[in-house]
């Protein structure tokens, strides 16, 4: 099965940039027609998709977070990354990477285990 694993700092200071990397195993991030997603869940709230990077490198972002979000990839390492700038405590959440089927539909077949990120000074 495809495996995904998030990595990055668990604590970020307000106004700084949250940076996470997803390592994908047993599946290529360039395989059509999948997209690779960043999803988060704040405490007590539902899941929110921040954005995706498709197999061809195209990116799509949540309108509410677009101005602060950047998703990139390193195909040689089979990694994709999230940068969320100007963070506040409201960005505290469990962050997941996941494989999305297609570039528009919100169907995910594989998930990472999630990583807690806390924004605090």
């Amino acid at each position: 099965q495809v495996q995904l694993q998030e990595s990055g700092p668990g604590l970020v200071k307000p106004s700084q940039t949250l940076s996470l990397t997803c390592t994908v195993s047993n599946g290529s991030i360039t395989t059509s027609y999948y997209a690779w997603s960043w999803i988060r869940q704040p405490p007590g709230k539902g899941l929110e998709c921040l954005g995706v990077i498709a197999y061809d490198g195209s990116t799509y972002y949540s309108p509410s977070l677009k101005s602060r979000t950047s998703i990139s990839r390193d195909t040689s390492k089979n990694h994709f990354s999230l940068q969320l700038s100007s963070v506040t405590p409201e960005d505290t959440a469990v962050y997941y990477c996941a494989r999305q089927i297609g570039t528009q539909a919100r169907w995910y077949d594989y998930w990472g285990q999630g990583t807690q990120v806390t924004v605090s000074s």
Side-chain angles (χ1 to χ4, degrees):
Q1 293 185 354
V2 174
Q3 294 182 321
L4 300 89
Q5 182 170 292
E6 304 89 348
S7 61
L11 182 64
V12 183
K13 296 184 184 300
S15 82
Q16 298 299 109
T17 296
L18 182 160
S19 297
L20 296 172
T21 296
C22 184
T23 299
V24 179
S25 301
N26 202 30
S28 174
I29 62 173
T30 64
T31 296
S32 57
Y33 293 92
Y34 299 105
W36 304 89
S37 307
W38 285 103
I39 302 156
R40 70 180 184 182
Q41 185 169 34
K45 299 182 179 179
L47 296 168
E48 177 183 28
C49 181
L50 287 77
V52 302
I53 186 162
Y55 65 96
D56 63 355
S58 301
T59 52
Y60 306 88
Y61 299 108
S62 169
S64 64
L65 296 167
K66 183 178 180 179
S67 65
R68 299 195 290 130
T69 306
S70 179
I71 298 173
S72 58
R73 67 180 184 172
D74 185 338
T75 58
S76 69
K77 297 179 180 179
N78 214 37
H79 293 171
F80 66 104
S81 299
L82 169 71
Q83 292 81 45
L84 182 66
S85 65
S86 303
V87 298
T88 73
E90 287 68 45
D91 293 309
T92 294
V94 177
Y95 284 75
Y96 300 91
C97 55
R99 189 173 78 167
Q100 178 178 298
I101 302 172
T103 58
Q104 279 81 48
R106 297 290 193 259
W107 288 96
Y108 310 98
D109 56 357
Y110 293 99
W111 295 69
Q113 81 284 358
T115 186
Q116 173 71 45
V117 179
T118 299
V119 179
S120 176
S121 60

